């Protein structure tokens, strides 16, 4: 019954001549058809999304920006609901979730691109962050990192609120960490710093949260310098910008990294954890650093033995 009605409405949309009034009426029919499905049921949400996608096409035809964005986001979430459910059940069987995921990502992209084109950086950033989080859920970490980096660039160019910038940069760093692209994580952090570190008195508020976020970025900077083997820069940066006890930790980290001393490196990382001055994402970077140095040592040992 649903698909018969869908085809009838779609045929009306494809007629040669349609006034804006007719197109809006067709959008209403698509919207009403979508409501015949249970949005909360993952088995029906993708079907509802199909009808919403029809409404989306209508609003794009009449160039109604507000309704296009709203409908695109609604449609994306419906497609993703089905994709997430099937991904959880059978992630190895791509046929069960890939199509819904692709359609959902496309709808997010329609909304984000339209918001960017209409100079709406705040809402565009929120859509991009939601898109990136979806990509990360499906283990597309590099795509997610690129999306979070795009969000960062939108915030910088559009002068969106700074708390959004903290969130976007942190998300990009976390995603780049998953694919071992610490160089790209450092690059986006440096770009963000050019935007808001020139005069920190202008943007650091009395809010404890903002102060913590500011300090978190300082720590990310030092850690990423360590992980990209910019050892001298890491030492200089830590001594200049971090508390003396934290700077001492980085001094030891650099020392033991250079010497490939795994036991001592592990002990310093445990010490860093005990200070409570590093967040879980910071500590995840430390653990990744230890893993990579361990691989270097293992590879060197193998070469010697061979």
């Amino acid at each position: 019954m649903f698909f018969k009605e869908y085809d009838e409405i779609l045929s009306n949309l494809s007629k040669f001549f349609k006034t804006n009034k007719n197109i809006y009426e067709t959008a209403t029919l698509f919207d009403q058809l979508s409501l015949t499905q249970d949005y909360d049921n993952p088995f029906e949400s993708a079907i509802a999304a199909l009808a919403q996608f029809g409404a989306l096409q209508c609003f794009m035809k009449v160039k109604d920006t507000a309704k296009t964005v709203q409908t695109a986001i609604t449609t994306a979430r419906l497609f993703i609901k089905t994709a997430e459910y099937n991904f959880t059940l059978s992630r190895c069987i791509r046929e069960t979730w890939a199509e819904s995921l692709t359609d959902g990502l496309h709808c997010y992209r329609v909304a984000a691109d339209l918001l960017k084109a209409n100079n709406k950086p705040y809402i565009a950033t929120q859509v991009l962050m939601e898109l990136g989080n979806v990509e990360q859920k499906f283990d597309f970490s590099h795509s997610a990192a690129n999306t979070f980096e795009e969000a960062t660039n939108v915030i910088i160019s559009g002068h969106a609120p700074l708390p959004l910038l903290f969130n976007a940069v942190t998300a990009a760093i976390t995603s780049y960490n998953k694919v071992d692209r610490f160089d790209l994580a450092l690059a986006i952090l440096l770009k963000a710093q050019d935007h808001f570190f020139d005069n920190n008195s202008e943007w650091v508020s009395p809010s404890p949260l903002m102060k913590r976020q500011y300090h978190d970025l300082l720590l990310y900077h030092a850690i990423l310098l360590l992980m990209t083997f910019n050892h001298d820069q890491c030492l200089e940066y830590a001594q200049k910008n971090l508390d003396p006890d934290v700077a001492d930790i980085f001094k030891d980290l650099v020392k033991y990294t250079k010497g490939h001393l795994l036991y001592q490196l592990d002990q310093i990382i445990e010490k860093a954890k005990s200070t409570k001055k590093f967040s879980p994402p910071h500590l995840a970077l430390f653990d990744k650093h230890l893993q990579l140095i361990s691989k270097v040592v293992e590879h060197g040992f193998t070469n010697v033995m061979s």
Side-chain angles (χ1 to χ4, degrees):
M1 184 66 178
F2 173 92
F3 292 103
K4 180 181 178 182
E5 290 186 38
Y6 176 83
D7 289 339
E8 290 175 355
I9 299 171
L10 190 62
S11 66
N12 288 334
L13 183 62
S14 61
K15 287 181 179 178
F16 181 74
F17 179 77
K18 297 282 286 186
T19 65
N20 281 4
K21 180 181 178 182
N22 295 144
I23 295 174
Y24 276 113
E25 289 172 349
T26 302
T28 300
L29 293 175
F30 275 125
D31 185 56
Q32 291 174 345
L33 181 61
S34 75
L35 293 175
T36 63
Q37 306 299 307
D38 183 357
Y39 281 19
D40 294 325
N41 186 334
F43 295 104
E44 297 184 18
S45 58
I47 301 176
L50 186 63
Q52 282 292 322
F53 188 77
L56 174 61
Q57 291 177 295
C58 293
F59 296 132
M60 291 177 70
K61 268 183 174 291
V62 297
K63 299 182 179 179
D64 188 327
T65 300
K67 288 186 179 296
T68 297
V69 169
Q70 181 182 3
T71 306
I73 295 172
T74 298
T75 307
R77 290 171 177 169
L78 288 170
F79 276 128
I80 297 302
K81 182 185 289 291
T82 296
E84 285 181 345
Y85 181 81
N86 290 329
F87 183 75
T88 302
L89 289 180
S90 52
R91 70 170 59 199
C92 294
I93 308 176
R94 291 179 58 88
E95 292 79 4
T96 63
W97 51 266
E99 184 175 350
S100 294
L101 174 63
T102 300
D103 291 339
L105 297 180
H106 168 73
C107 291
Y108 274 126
R109 179 51 62 185
V110 167
D113 288 348
L114 194 55
L115 288 165
K116 286 163 52 180
N118 284 271
N119 195 27
K120 302 290 184 182
Y122 180 80
I123 306 176
T125 299
Q126 291 180 315
V127 173
L128 287 170
M129 292 297 291
E130 189 169 328
L131 169 58
N133 286 328
V134 169
E135 291 170 327
Q136 189 61 73
K137 282 183 181 179
F138 286 85
D139 298 329
F140 297 126
S141 297
H142 209 303
S143 296
N146 290 339
T147 300
F148 293 135
E149 183 169 348
E150 181 183 353
T152 301
N153 291 330
V154 169
I155 295 166
I156 292 173
S157 61
H159 301 286
L162 286 168
L164 285 178
L165 186 55
F166 284 116
N167 295 336
V169 171
T170 301
I173 291 172
T174 300
S175 293
Y176 277 133
N177 173 37
K178 293 180 182 295
V179 292
D180 296 345
R181 291 307 306 266
F182 313 112
D183 55 332
L184 296 179
L186 179 59
I188 191 62
L189 175 58
L190 292 174
K191 186 172 185 178
Q193 285 179 331
D194 288 340
H195 179 63
F196 56 60
F197 277 13
D198 288 339
N199 185 354
N200 59 34
S201 64
E202 292 184 359
W203 65 268
V204 176
S205 75
S207 163
L209 176 61
M210 287 286 287
K211 289 183 180 295
R212 174 66 193 188
Q213 288 175 322
Y214 171 77
H215 186 256
D216 281 350
L217 290 182
L218 296 179
L219 292 173
Y220 275 124
H221 193 159
I223 295 170
L224 290 170
L225 286 172
L226 172 71
M227 298 186 73
T228 52
F229 302 102
N230 292 294
H231 295 143
D232 292 340
Q233 292 182 44
C234 177
L235 289 174
E236 181 182 354
Y237 185 86
Q239 291 170 359
K240 181 180 177 180
N241 295 281
L242 302 176
D243 294 336
D245 57 334
V246 177
D248 286 342
I249 289 175
F250 279 98
K251 181 179 179 181
D252 289 336
L253 286 169
V254 168
K255 175 182 176 182
Y256 298 133
T257 296
K258 285 183 174 181
H260 293 168
L261 302 174
L262 298 181
Y263 175 77
Q264 291 87 339
L265 193 57
D266 183 48
Q267 291 301 303
I268 292 300
I269 292 175
E270 290 301 317
K271 179 181 178 181
K273 293 177 181 179
S274 68
T275 64
K276 307 298 184 182
K277 293 190 176 182
F278 298 90
S279 68
H282 294 138
L283 298 176
L285 285 170
F286 280 142
D287 289 336
K288 178 62 72 68
H289 180 64
L290 179 60
Q291 292 174 16
L292 294 176
I293 297 300
S294 299
K295 289 181 180 179
V296 171
V297 172
E298 181 182 349
H299 181 70
F301 179 75
T302 301
N303 286 343
V304 171
M305 294 300 293
S306 61

